[in-house]
Amino acid sequence: MARSGRTGGALRIGIIGAGVMGADHAAIFTGGVAGAQLVAIADADAARAQAAGSAAGARVFTDGWALIADKDVDAVLVAAPDGLHRPLVLACLAEGKPVLCEKPLAPTTMECHEILAAEQALGRRLVQVGFMRRFDPFFEDLRATLASGLIGAPVLAHCAHRNASAPGFFTGGMSISNSAVHEFDGLRWLLADEITNITVLAPSSPRAGELPDPLMILLRTTRGVLADVEVFMNARYGYDIRTEIVCREGAAQLGRPQPPVIAMAGQQGAAHPPDWRGRFNEAYRRQAQAWVESIRFGRPCGASAWDGLVATLIAEAGLRALEIGVSVPIDLPPRPDFYA
Ligand code: ISE
């Protein structure tokens, strides 16, 4: 991979999308990711791209495809709207460039399959999906505890995924395809197990064109673990992520970064972050560093395109389960050896 003298041999990163997440990723690279430099940022809104990329001196593009094709960009981070993930990731693969794609890999399994087919045809693992919890120190600890066998075999999981309010760009089934997918991937990864069934229940009727909110999702895994997952997009009070895994010999509850407890005016309490950035800042930073190192050393890390496909497959089954009101089986295709 030819790299310019300007970056001193660093991996030259281009980011597509300068919305909330794109700007955040840009800030992470600007703040310093060893061995990498943000050199380009694309957004249809040039001023937005300029604002996100200026501190790094990144070149501004209004066309993501032009950024991908640019010879001075080595690797691409896709933080564009979900519906653009498939064509942008395919374009990266066509250029033979590594790509870190925000979750979901794509909103439908058909699109994900296309990406997997293209990556396999290329014969190199170039796609990583931005399931950043895999890089969160608290989630890593929890996974290591479970894997150690210290508290026995998992039997139950209780998860909550609450947003203060649904992001403005949310439409239709995105509370499942864009938010709950974190829980699907997180549970598969924590438990080293596959999800076999999904049921989705709603306590209230939706507004026109929207999914009910909150949702209660019930999952079963190959080893018989039962999980309940609350997804509440408009919980009002803040962003709150909870995970507890109950095992045969004990239970492990996920910690969260502890903000100071403030006593004031006859009350005592700790603030909740307004959104996911406050909670997962460190995970996003570590994900960026690990992605860069995985490219430099040719060792894929994090969630693969296969993991992206599985999360979307579970989300699709979840939407169907909500529609028909009964449990839906997850029919996973055989995992190609390429993703072993
Ligand atoms: C949002 O789109 C995200 O990407 C966050 O990671 C997730 O926790 C949140 O629920 C989504 O709305």
Side-chain angles (χ1 to χ4, degrees), residues 95-152:
E95 291 286 342
K97 294 188 180 176
V99 52
L100 171 58
C101 180
E102 263 298 340
K103 40 78 343 205
L105 177 58
T108 65
T109 45
M110 247 169 62
E111 295 168 285
C112 294
H113 277 300
E114 267 187 72
I115 293 172
L116 268 77
E119 194 179 32
Q120 288 174 81
L122 199 65
R124 277 188 297 150
R125 289 266 306 272
L126 290 184
V127 180
Q128 184 177 329
V129 183
F131 283 121
M132 78 298 181
R133 288 186 184 185
R134 294 179 178 227
F135 299 93
D136 178 76
F138 293 85
F139 273 89
E140 281 184 347
D141 269 8
L142 177 56
R143 185 171 192 257
T145 302
L146 298 173
S148 74
L150 180 72
I151 53 174

Side-chain angles (χ1 to χ4, degrees), residues 103 132 161 163 167 169-170 178-179 182 233 239 276 284:
K103 40 78 343 205
M132 78 298 181
H161 186 127
N163 278 257
F169 56 85
F170 260 48
N178 184 291
S179 291
H182 278 297
M233 297 310 299
Y239 185 74
W276 57 91
Y284 284 115

Side-chain angles (χ1 to χ4, degrees), residues 9-339:
L11 193 74
R12 298 167 301 178
I13 307 293
I15 295 180
I16 302 179
V20 178
M21 272 324 299
D24 230 55
H25 287 299
I28 287 170
F29 279 97
T30 305
V33 171
Q37 186 173 335
L38 177 63
V39 297
I41 183 156
D43 197 288
D45 179 341
R48 195 158 82 152
Q50 174 68 34
S54 63
R59 285 191 298 144
V60 168
F61 290 72
T62 48
D63 176 0
W65 280 268
L67 180 147
I68 293 169
D70 195 279
K71 64 173 185 12
D72 291 326
V73 169
D74 301 319
V76 180
L77 193 157
V78 172
D82 299 359
L84 290 175
H85 288 186
R86 179 199 68 98
L88 289 170
V89 170
L90 288 177
C92 291
L93 290 175
E95 291 286 342
K97 294 188 180 176
V99 52
L100 171 58
C101 180
E102 263 298 340
K103 40 78 343 205
L105 177 58
T108 65
T109 45
M110 247 169 62
E111 295 168 285
C112 294
H113 277 300
E114 267 187 72
I115 293 172
L116 268 77
E119 194 179 32
Q120 288 174 81
L122 199 65
R124 277 188 297 150
R125 289 266 306 272
L126 290 184
V127 180
Q128 184 177 329
V129 183
F131 283 121
M132 78 298 181
R133 288 186 184 185
R134 294 179 178 227
F135 299 93
D136 178 76
F138 293 85
F139 273 89
E140 281 184 347
D141 269 8
L142 177 56
R143 185 171 192 257
T145 302
L146 298 173
S148 74
L150 180 72
I151 53 174
V155 279
L156 296 171
H158 306 292
C159 310
H161 186 127
R162 298 182 192 148
N163 278 257
S165 57
F169 56 85
F170 260 48
T171 51
M174 284 177 80
S175 57
I176 296 183
S177 70
N178 184 291
S179 291
V181 285
H182 278 297
E183 308 299 328
F184 305 151
D185 183 70
L187 283 169
R188 292 181 61 238
W189 179 74
L190 284 172
L191 301 171
D193 201 355
E194 289 297 352
I195 294 167
T196 58
N197 283 82
I198 182 166
T199 310
V200 182
L201 306 169
S204 58
S205 32
R207 279 180 295 200
E210 288 176 14
L211 282 199
D213 183 53
L215 292 172
M216 177 58 80
I217 301 178
L218 303 173
L219 304 166
R220 183 184 280 281
T221 74
T222 311
R223 296 201 197 98
V225 177
L226 283 179
D228 56 82
V229 179
E230 169 202 319
V231 177
F232 196 178
M233 297 310 299
N234 295 285
R236 306 290 177 215
Y237 69 90
Y239 185 74
D240 194 3
I241 297 296
R242 302 178 185 191
T243 306
E244 183 182 18
I245 310 290
V246 182
C247 301
R248 292 273 174 211
E249 309 293 334
Q253 206 168 351
L254 192 71
R256 69 179 183 102
Q258 285 305 311
V261 175
I262 297 172
M264 206 177 90
Q267 297 200 342
Q268 176 165 303
H272 273 278
D275 67 27
W276 57 91
R277 288 168 295 170
R279 166 65 183 85
F280 286 110
N281 243 345
E282 181 60 4
Y284 284 115
R285 199 195 55 73
R286 295 178 82 225
Q287 173 180 257
Q289 187 64 66
W291 176 52
V292 166
E293 279 163 25
S294 78
I295 297 167
R296 293 175 74 91
F297 300 112
R299 276 195 305 266
C301 71
S304 65
W306 166 257
D307 297 311
L309 163 71
V310 175
T312 293
L313 201 144
I314 301 167
E316 267 183 0
L319 288 166
R320 174 113 184 93
L322 177 65
E323 194 183 303
I324 62 178
V326 293
S327 167
V328 168
I330 311 290
D331 287 321
L332 280 191
R335 180 167 67 177
D337 290 343
F338 186 75
Y339 294 106

